[in-house]
RNA sequence: GCCGGCGUGGUGGAAUGGCAGACACUGCGGACUUAAAAUCCGCUGUCCAUUGCGGACGUGCGGGUUCGACCCCCGCCGCCGGCACCA
């Protein structure tokens, strides 16, 4: 009889509510282990089938750690500020706080339904004033240290969300969240000086156990370049400072380019003979969207400033100055020296505008035909006076030193990383605790006045002019200056969603503290997070932001470690089955189509014609329109939480995307049914049976190691193999005990029920993790492959660890091998212990 | 364009120098059943041979190293992801 998953799961969830086996104990003598998953945004749709994948994975890891004797902290919370809730509130005229509460309740129900071992007494909600009090407090500390500042600058503006976006939130020129076009808008914004930490954010990656692609992506995003800053003199006497990574090519600089927004252009305007053209170009550049401005293979445009020129400091040559939008105002100094012979972009521009191209590094093709950009030791400097004859690598320090001695330049490092635009013109976020006084300027709210509560407003609608909904709350906005007591106005923008998630893992350590964001004792005990699993999409957002905040908190002595997370892993997405792909249809459906169209080829051709490329992809993102969305509630109702957990782990390589398959879910249910039947059969004998000993020890080793490496699919496969073996060899109670202990982290409900049924003491989850013995893993006899000239010919049974001679004799005695050897001479014999024999033959002379 | 990852049966995937396809899904056959479902047992890479013994091919393509290559090296092709006028 199949087990009653519904009754069993409810029973054990009730017991866990009472017994609290997942409570973490701050200060406990056992070694600590802090496992973290990214807390969910409680959306109105409820838990997505993608959520349980990382949650189950870390649940398994932490359950194993508990069994290994660790004091485990495995917490959960809700990242509840954000736009979808606000938009829902606008549409349905409900306060976002009420929507949030309802959604959190639903998420809590679903998470408990899946049996995750969270410490439910440490739940954190970023919208709770007792939580965001400390988010605001951290902001004030940043302000005190000069790392939060208000600046007016062109910022990314989402035309649909009516809100500014951080650089990290713009993907290919559109809003990361809603896909609407992003334009540049001049606005006064709160900024966080993340660039001050750029170097440390790169350097400290070296010591961290992050998967390589995360490190790489962060390094690329921060984008460190080394080079030099060089000052050119303009004919007006002004200094033009440029950044270059190739100071060695200075003799080849034949013109300069400023970004259209560069301050000197405005200053020089009265002197310019073509001022009208220049202004027209500036205007055109400003009105372009991000997409247009960064469009690929676009022909270079620009205008030469007529009436001013620059002087190349190395040779005194006068060179023209252009403005062009291929030079960005926000990187380096917003101005470049152009070396068309050795830079592709400069070369392209020079060809278009007829600028001179002078070769200063030899070793490439004709620079009149293409730029020669190699930076290594291939190129030798020419036409460069004192640099001639040096390689590029040798020339860079020589010219840098020369520039420093002459006082016209110095070595310089630049980053692509920009400061973090930190204000949002929306309601449902943390209020920024700052007030603007006419006399005193921006003043922080005194810390004893935190939290600054979000006021109730009539309408949550953002305005087209880019003002926050809070700006209409005059009672709230008008306040007094904390410094002089005079009239002042509150900041009406709120913080971005990334604020609350930048430190939530610290609050879990001590979630109810009202004196500090967490006590020193709790921070010292639990820091750092030992293992953090999350999505790749957060690599240059949440993960980078929280590293920055943590480093800042470390600098001001609040946290004991300079990095928040010791280890970072990442999971792949769960995709849906493509209903239009022939090869992933059910056999019935396939037959139906073949009947309809005459042949398989015709049916496939029909699908390709109807759905295009789409029809050839087996798996696609889940979407309502394709009807392939899987709801965890349905799966748990039909198969139970343990099957759901097991299947999400068995679905494929944890790090890669995987497609949901209803049939494969049934396979996992079948596995649990088979284990259940073994327990129901009433096994006897406390000892491990001789027949099962070797495979049990091998399975313990495999499951133990695979969990640590997040290879859950093969861990489950090993347990399936073990159960298949049990069906042949009849397990004892002692054999079953080990299987249940190994299975417990994966399928905790059914395992506890069987544990009780078999009359074992205590709880399965409370046992010590089973240990394996290498000596007991080996079988008495081994099957070895026998190869002839490297190709498999036969297999032979020999005793384990048999000496080479015995193995070779056994191989030669095999009938097939003997036939192959006949008339041949054995030139060479290769024996790999317990694996194979390879005989190299050649015809006898 | 630059950087990274991947390419294995009808499907999801396993194996990182030693018997390719573990484990599972699907399919086929058998047992049980009045019957069906469920369950249990067996088979299931392709092709040739098939009465039986067997044989050939096979990890995107082409080369190489090695006794031996899905794995390492060189050169291509394709797909996915990140960055992208960053000087």
């Amino acid at each position: 009889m199949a087990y009653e998953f519904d009754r069993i799961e409810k029973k054990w969830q009730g017991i866990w509510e009472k017994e609290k086996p997942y409570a973490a104990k701050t200060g406990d003598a056992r070694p600590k282990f802090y496992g973290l998953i990214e807390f969910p945004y409680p959306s109105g749709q409820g838990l997505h089938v993608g959520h349980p994948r990382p949650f189950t994975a870390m649940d398994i890891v932490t359950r194993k750690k508990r069994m290994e004797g660790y004091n485990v902290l495995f917490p959960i919370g809700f990242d509840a500020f954000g736009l979808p809730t606000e938009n829902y509130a606008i549409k349905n005229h409900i306060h976002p706080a009420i929507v949030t509460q309802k959604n959190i309740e639903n998420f809590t129900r679903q998470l408990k339904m899946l049996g995750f071992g969270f410490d439910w007494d440490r739940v954190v909600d970023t919208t709770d004033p007792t939580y965001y009090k400390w988010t605001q407090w951290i902001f004030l500390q940043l302000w005190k240290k000069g790392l939060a500042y208000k600046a007016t600058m062109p910022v990314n503006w989402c035309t649909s969300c009516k809100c500014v976006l951080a650089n990290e939130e713009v993907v290919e020129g559109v809003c990361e969240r809603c896909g609407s076009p992003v334009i540049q808008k001049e606005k006064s914004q709160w900024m966080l000086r993340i660039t001050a930490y750029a170097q440390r954010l790169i350097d400290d990656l070296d010591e961290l156990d992050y998967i390589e692609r995360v490190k790489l992506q962060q390094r690329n995003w921060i984008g460190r370049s080394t080079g030099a800053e060089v000052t050119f003199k303009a004919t007006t006497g002004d200094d033009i400072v440029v950044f270059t990574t190739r100071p060695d090519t200075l003799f080849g600089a034949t013109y300069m380019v400023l970004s259209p927004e560069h301050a000197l252009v405005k200053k020089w305007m009265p002197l310019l003979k073509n001022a009208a053209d220049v202004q027209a170009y500036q205007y055109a550049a400003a009105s372009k969207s991000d997409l247009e401005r960064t469009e690929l293979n676009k022909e270079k445009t620009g205008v030469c400033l007529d009436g001013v020129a620059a002087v190349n400091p190395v040779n005194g040559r006068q060179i023209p100055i252009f403005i062009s939008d291929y030079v960005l105002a926000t990187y380096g100094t917003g101005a470049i020296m152009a070396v068309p012979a050795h830079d592709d972009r400069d070369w392209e521009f020079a060809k278009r505008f007829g600028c001179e191209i002078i070769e200063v590094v030899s070793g490439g093709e004709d620079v009149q035909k293409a730029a020669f950009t190699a930076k290594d030791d291939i190129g030798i400097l020419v036409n460069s006076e004192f640099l001639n004859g040096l390689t590029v690598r040798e020339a860079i320090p020589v010219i840098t030193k020369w520039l420093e001695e002459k006082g016209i330049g110095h070595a310089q490092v630049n980053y692509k990383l920009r400061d973090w635009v930190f204000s949002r013109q929306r309601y449902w976020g943390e209020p920024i605790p700052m007030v603007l006084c006419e006399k005193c300027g921006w003043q922080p709210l005194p810390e004893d006045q935190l939290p600054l509560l979000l006021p109730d407003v009539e309408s949550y609608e953002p305005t087209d002019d880019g003002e926050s909904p809070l700006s209409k709350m005059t009672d709230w906005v008008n306040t007094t200056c904390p410094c002089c007591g005079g009239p002042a106005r509150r900041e009406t923008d709120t913080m971005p969603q990334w604020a609350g998630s930048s430190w939530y893992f610290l609050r879990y350590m001590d979630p109810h503290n009202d004196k500090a964001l967490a006590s020193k004792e709790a921070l010292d005990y639990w820091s750092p997070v030992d293992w953090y699993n999350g999505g790749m999409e957060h690599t240059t957002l949440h993960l980078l932001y929280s590293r920055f905040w943590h480093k800042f908190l470390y600098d001001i002595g609040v946290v004991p470690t300079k990095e928040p997370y010791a280890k970072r892993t990442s999971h792949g997405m769960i995709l849906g089955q493509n209903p239009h792909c022939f090869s992933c249809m059910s056999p019935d459906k396939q037959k139906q189509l073949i009947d309809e169209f005459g042949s398989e080829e015709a049916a496939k051709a029909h699908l390709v014609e109807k759905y295009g490329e789409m029809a050839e992809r087996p798996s696609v993102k889940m979407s309502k329109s394709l009807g392939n969305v899987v709801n965890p509630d349905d799966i748990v109702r039909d198969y139970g939480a343990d099957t759901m957990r097991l299947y999400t782990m068995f679905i494929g390589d944890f790090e890669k995307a995987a497609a949901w398959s209803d049939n494969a879910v049934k396979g996992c249910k079948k596995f649990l049914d088979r284990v259940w039947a073994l327990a129901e059969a009433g096994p006897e004998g406390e000892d491990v049976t001789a027949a099962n000993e070797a495979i049990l020890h091998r399975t313990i080793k495999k499951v133990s190691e695979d969990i640590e490496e997040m290879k859950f699919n093969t861990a489950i496969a090993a347990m399936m193999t073990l159960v298949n073996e049990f069906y042949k060899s009849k397990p004892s109670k002692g054999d079953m005990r080990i299987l249940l202990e190994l299975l417990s982290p994966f399928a905790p409900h059914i395992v506890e029920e069987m544990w009780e049924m078999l009359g074992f003491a205590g709880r399965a989850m409370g046992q010590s993790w089973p240990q394996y013995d290498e000596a007991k893993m080996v079988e008495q006899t081994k099957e070895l492959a026998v190869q002839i000239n490297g190709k498999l010919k036969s297999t032979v049974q020999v005793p384990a660890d048999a000496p080479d001679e015995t193995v070779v004799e056994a191989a030669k005695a095999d009938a097939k091998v003997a036939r192959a050897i006949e008339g041949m001479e054995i030139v060479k014999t290769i024996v790999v212990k317990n694996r194979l024999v390879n005989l190299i033959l050649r015809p006898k002379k």
Side-chain angles (χ1 to χ4, degrees), chain A residues 576-652:
Chain A
Q577 272 169 325
N578 181 355
H580 308 314
C581 166
F582 186 86
S583 61
C584 35
M585 286 174 182
S586 69
D588 289 350
K589 190 82 195 289
Q590 289 182 349
K591 273 178 200 151
Q592 198 187 317
L593 281 172
I594 291 169
D595 289 349
E596 193 179 330
F597 294 95
S599 71
E600 192 178 314
E601 285 67 38
K604 280 183 186 165
H606 164 79
L607 289 168
V608 171
E609 198 187 312
K610 193 162 172 191
Y611 302 107
E613 235 182 305
M614 172 81 187
E616 307 191 73
R617 294 169 178 237
S619 49
V620 288
K621 264 192 186 176
M622 287 188 185
S623 73
K624 278 184 190 151
S625 58
L626 286 172
N628 60 358
V629 177
V630 177
N631 182 344
D633 283 325
D634 297 340
I635 304 298
V636 171
R637 184 195 60 219
D638 295 342
Y639 304 102
D642 285 329
T643 297
M644 171 82 193
R645 294 168 58 103
L646 206 63
Y647 177 60
T648 18
M649 293 295 96
F650 190 60
I651 191 166

Side-chain angles (χ1 to χ4, degrees), chain A residues 359 363-370 372:
Chain A
E359 181 182 61
E365 302 292 309
D366 181 359
V367 294
Q368 301 304 324
K369 301 223 170 74
F372 175 56

Side-chain angles (χ1 to χ4, degrees), chain A residues 649-650 702-703 706 711-719:
Chain A
M649 293 295 96
F650 190 60
K702 181 77 182 152
V703 174
D706 281 357
K711 288 159 73 176
F712 305 104
N713 53 337
T714 49
I716 294 167
M719 288 188 280

